[in-house]
């Protein structure tokens, strides 16, 4: 069904009611939100961090492109959580370019960094732990490094919300050779999700729970028109978004 432009514009100014934080049962769970420093990702992080014990998750992890943005976002999330959340430091952050170690990839917080097997149950103070990790979706190596570091730090992942996205006004390409929107909005989130599935399967088996994968999308896809020959080519993504295979009109 095609979405009318007038309907799309109207929807942008329609207020949605959020469920009460007390209506969900997320006890002891770990939630990962990409793009958690702005927009829907940020507000979702605030929602989870504001939940009261014993229903609140143990930890909310957000991703950002830089450590500075992550630290600022964590402070704002904790500030809006009404005393129900606390910031924690990341021990061994992820470098923007995919490297490991302290420095520009590490996001500092008020608490202590925690390793494998720690911080998965409610802390004595009953507060949700909020942390930020650097993830650069324009770099496939950063995605792989992020997953490696996340799995070393956390033994479970119950909810993955892929919310990070870009909407550039000019044509550009990543160092991997892909058109920026294609890699950031489609390919990297898909890679991230696939790499995290083993962790979520282990979570399901060990904790007898059902992990969830949520993808934030846009109604604008209703307005898209794609070339039929490209769709049937068997090389759709390369023809659509790879620098060397695109038919770029100048």
């Amino acid at each position: 069904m095609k979405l009318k432009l007038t309907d799309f514009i109207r929807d942008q100014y329609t207020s949605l009611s959020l469920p009460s934080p007390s209506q969900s049962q997320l006890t002891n769970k770990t939630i990962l939100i990409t793009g958690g420093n702005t927009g829907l990702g940020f507000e979702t992080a605030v929602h989870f961090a504001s939940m009261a014990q014993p229903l609140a998750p143990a930890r909310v992890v957000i991703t950002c492109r830089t450590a500075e943005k992550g630290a600022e976002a964590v402070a704002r999330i904790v500030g809006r959580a009404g005393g129900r959340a606390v910031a924690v430091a990341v021990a061994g952050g992820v470098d923007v370019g995919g490297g490991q170690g302290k420095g520009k990839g590490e996001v500092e917080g008020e608490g202590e960094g925690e390793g494998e097997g720690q911080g998965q149950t409610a802390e004595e103070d009953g507060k949700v732990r909020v942390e930020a990790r650097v993830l650069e979706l324009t770099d496939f190596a950063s995605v792989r490094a992020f997953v490696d570091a996340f799995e070393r730090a956390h033994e479970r992942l119950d909810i993955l919300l892929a919310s990070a996205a870009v909407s550039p006004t000019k044509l550009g390409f990543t160092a991997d050779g892909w058109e920026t929107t294609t890699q950031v909005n489609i390919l990297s989130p898909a890679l991230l999700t696939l790499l995290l599935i083993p962790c979520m399967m282990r979570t399901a088996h060990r904790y007898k729970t059902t992990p969830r994968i949520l993808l934030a999308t846009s109604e604008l896809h209703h307005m898209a028109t794609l070339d039929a020959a490209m769709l049937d080519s068997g090389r759709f993504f390369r023809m659509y978004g790879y620098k060397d295979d695109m038919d770029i009109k100048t």
Side-chain angles (χ1 to χ4, degrees):
M1 182 183 70
K2 286 287 186 180
L3 184 71
K4 295 181 180 179
L5 179 60
T6 52
D7 293 334
F8 174 78
I9 295 174
R10 184 195 64 234
D11 289 347
Q12 306 312 300
Y13 294 92
T14 300
S15 298
L16 300 177
S17 58
L18 290 173
S20 169
S22 63
Q23 294 177 358
S24 302
Q25 171 60 270
L26 300 175
T27 305
N28 295 336
K29 293 187 176 182
T30 296
I31 302 171
L32 172 61
I33 304 171
T34 67
N37 61 311
T38 60
L40 291 175
F42 175 79
E43 294 299 332
T44 302
V46 171
H47 178 77
F48 287 133
S50 301
M51 295 179 65
Q53 297 293 353
L55 302 179
R59 183 175 300 270
V60 175
V61 182
I62 66 169
T63 75
C64 306
R65 298 186 69 179
T66 68
E68 292 75 18
K69 290 181 178 180
E72 190 271 338
V74 167
R76 288 192 292 131
I77 292 168
V78 171
R80 286 184 51 185
R84 292 176 173 174
V86 62
V88 297
V90 173
V94 180
D95 183 82
V96 172
Q100 304 284 329
K102 288 188 176 182
K104 65 179 180 179
E106 181 168 334
V107 179
E108 296 294 340
E110 296 175 359
E112 296 296 327
E114 295 167 346
E116 180 69 30
Q118 297 181 339
Q120 304 303 328
T121 59
E123 302 289 344
E124 291 183 359
D125 59 12
K127 294 184 178 181
V128 179
R129 266 46 189 171
V130 182
E131 71 178 56
R133 289 179 175 269
V134 173
L135 172 63
E136 179 52 77
L137 294 174
T138 63
D139 183 356
F140 291 139
S142 176
V143 176
R144 294 186 177 93
F146 170 86
V147 172
D148 181 62
F150 181 89
E151 290 188 326
R152 289 202 311 271
H154 303 295
E155 65 182 18
R156 70 183 293 176
L157 175 59
D158 299 271
I159 299 175
L160 166 63
L161 172 57
S163 178
V166 295
S167 181
T169 58
K170 295 182 179 180
L171 179 65
F173 296 90
T174 69
D176 293 310
W178 291 91
E179 186 273 323
T180 302
T181 308
T182 302
Q183 181 162 342
V184 173
N185 295 6
I186 303 173
L187 299 180
S188 283
L191 175 62
L192 176 70
T193 302
L194 290 171
L195 292 176
L196 285 171
I197 284 178
C199 179
M200 302 185 85
M201 292 179 67
R202 291 192 297 270
T203 299
H205 177 74
R206 180 171 183 177
Y207 297 100
K208 310 304 180 185
T209 186
T210 303
R212 300 182 183 276
I213 299 170
L214 308 173
L215 305 176
T217 63
S218 170
E219 290 181 328
L220 285 175
H221 72 273
H222 287 289
M223 304 178 188
T225 301
L226 300 174
D227 183 82
M230 186 185 299
L231 288 171
D232 296 334
S233 68
R235 303 173 64 251
F236 170 75
F237 274 112
R238 292 192 69 88
M239 294 177 66
Y240 178 79
Y242 193 67
K243 180 170 58 176
D244 295 339
D245 296 321
M246 291 175 62
D247 181 14
I248 302 176
K249 301 293 192 300
T250 56

